[in-house]
Amino acid sequence: MKMTQTDPISSDFEKRLKPVGRILEDPDYNVWGCSPIWGPDGKVHVFYSRWKNEAHHQGWITCCEIAHAVADTPEGPYETVDVAVTGRGGDWWDAMTCHNPTIHKVGDKYVLFYMGTQDGTVYSKRVGMATSDSLNGPWKRSDKPIIEPNPDPDAWNSICTTNPAFVQHPNGELWLYYKSWRINDWKKDLEGGLRVATSDVGKFTNRQYGLAVAKDLDSPFEKVGDGPIIDLSHLGENAQSEDAYIWIEDGKFKMIMRDMGYWNHEYGLMFESEDGLTWGMPTVAFYAGRNYLPEPPNGLEREGRFERTQVLMKDGKPDYVFFAMVGGKYNTSSGAVMKVD
């Protein structure tokens, strides 16, 4: 039976959100996805994307690095203490940019999953990882991407692998969800004259999420099935998947994803699943960022919306939610935090 789009309904998660404010506002850098984790020191460690202001918003794909900041509480203030990973240059898969971090602990190791580019284009976006015994590093990076696109240009995941979302399955397996789309659809949109901008949805391009699974950190990640695990294309006019974050709570898989054409481009979508493979219909995970953190108009593209959701867990439940948001004190972009009551 085909699912159909429903009217927006607030999730229990959304009803519990309380605004905190912006974090990591920097006069020299654009700041993007902020991934938090509690450290053994009892402090909050955040791994976040940043790039020099001179590169404007598009610097995320050409000159981004992943910095490490620490605070006594999730609200901050945060002190940036080091840079975890930055572009390696040369022929490395992450030669130019390191972006969209998500930090997790697997056994006694800390694992930083992220996206890198070799040439600063969408065609070289790849998911890889870095591991360390400490949140303070040093970080050992994967020599190669851990998930490669399908070489068939008509395959749903042929253009790239990006935007990792990780969860450790109760059976011990490492489940890594990743975003991709079909390269031939992308080319059709470009040939049709669409702007090459990250906000352009396009007529044909259809971003969805797949899944790759590994037995442990020393084993390869193997793709699951030939199609996407999360496919919203039939739920709205060109509804797509973006910025997923996944966790397990009370025995159920939970997923937050930014709305990309289901209801609009400003809400968050909340999904649940019994097995992490088949997901139900979405409710609203959050509304536009301006609803919680109202600010004067800033004139920037993406104004007033939350992106790149990451969750700070405590005792197996969401405690705080971290976002990226354009604007702020320097009218660039920064992190933003919400409390989950």
Side-chain angles (χ1 to χ4, degrees), residues 30-224:
N30 272 259
V31 168
W32 207 242
C34 300
S35 185
I37 191 172
W38 289 103
D41 54 3
K43 297 184 178 183
V44 180
H45 294 247
V46 170
F47 292 81
Y48 69 95
S49 300
R50 72 175 188 180
W51 61 91
K52 287 287 190 178
N53 289 338
E54 300 89 270
H56 305 290
H57 185 76
Q58 286 300 105
W60 69 267
I61 200 169
T62 59
C63 56
C64 185
E65 62 186 10
I66 298 172
H68 170 210
V70 181
D72 292 330
T73 68
E75 293 87 350
Y78 285 86
E79 177 187 2
T80 298
V81 294
D82 58 58
V83 174
V85 291
T86 192
R88 284 188 274 187
D91 294 329
W92 291 104
W93 64 272
D94 54 357
M96 288 192 70
T97 209
C98 301
H99 186 61
N100 278 353
T102 185
I103 183 72
H104 298 270
K105 192 172 187 184
V106 178
D108 59 357
K109 291 280 188 182
Y110 291 99
V111 187
L112 185 66
F113 297 100
Y114 64 99
M115 178 275 290
T117 67
Q118 188 176 65
D119 61 5
T121 72
V122 297
Y123 303 102
S124 68
K125 289 167 67 175
R126 298 289 186 274
V127 169
M129 70 179 185
T131 58
S132 176
D133 295 327
S134 167
L135 290 169
N136 297 312
W139 294 92
K140 182 181 178 181
R141 304 194 222 184
S142 53
D143 290 339
K144 297 179 180 179
I146 58 176
I147 310 176
E148 292 279 9
N150 192 317
D152 179 356
D154 282 319
W156 80 269
N157 54 353
S158 54
I159 192 167
C160 64
T161 65
T162 185
N163 292 31
F166 171 81
V167 68
Q168 186 159 14
H169 195 278
N171 67 11
E173 291 178 340
L174 310 183
W175 284 31
L176 189 58
Y177 297 79
Y178 67 97
K179 189 182 80 172
S180 190
W181 61 96
R182 186 174 288 107
I183 193 169
N184 278 349
D185 290 345
W186 178 256
K187 289 180 177 178
K188 286 180 185 178
D189 280 332
L190 296 183
E191 291 166 359
L194 290 179
R195 291 164 47 224
V196 186
T198 55
S199 61
D200 289 333
V201 174
K203 180 179 179 181
F204 301 102
T205 302
N206 185 14
R207 298 163 178 85
Q208 308 301 347
Y209 264 83
L211 172 64
V213 174
K215 293 181 180 179
D216 52 49
L217 289 174
D218 296 319
S219 300
F221 280 87
E222 304 287 349
K223 295 174 187 172
V224 175

Side-chain angles (χ1 to χ4, degrees), residues 21-35:
R22 287 186 178 268
I23 62 167
L24 293 168
E25 295 185 273
D26 192 312
D28 300 317
Y29 288 91
N30 272 259
V31 168
W32 207 242
C34 300
S35 185

Side-chain angles (χ1 to χ4, degrees), residues 243-263:
D243 287 344
Y245 186 90
I246 299 171
W247 72 97
I248 298 174
E249 181 182 353
D250 297 330
K252 286 190 175 182
F253 289 78
K254 304 284 185 79
M255 174 173 58
I256 291 177
M257 180 180 292
R258 184 172 74 78
D259 196 343
M260 198 174 186
Y262 180 70
W263 285 308

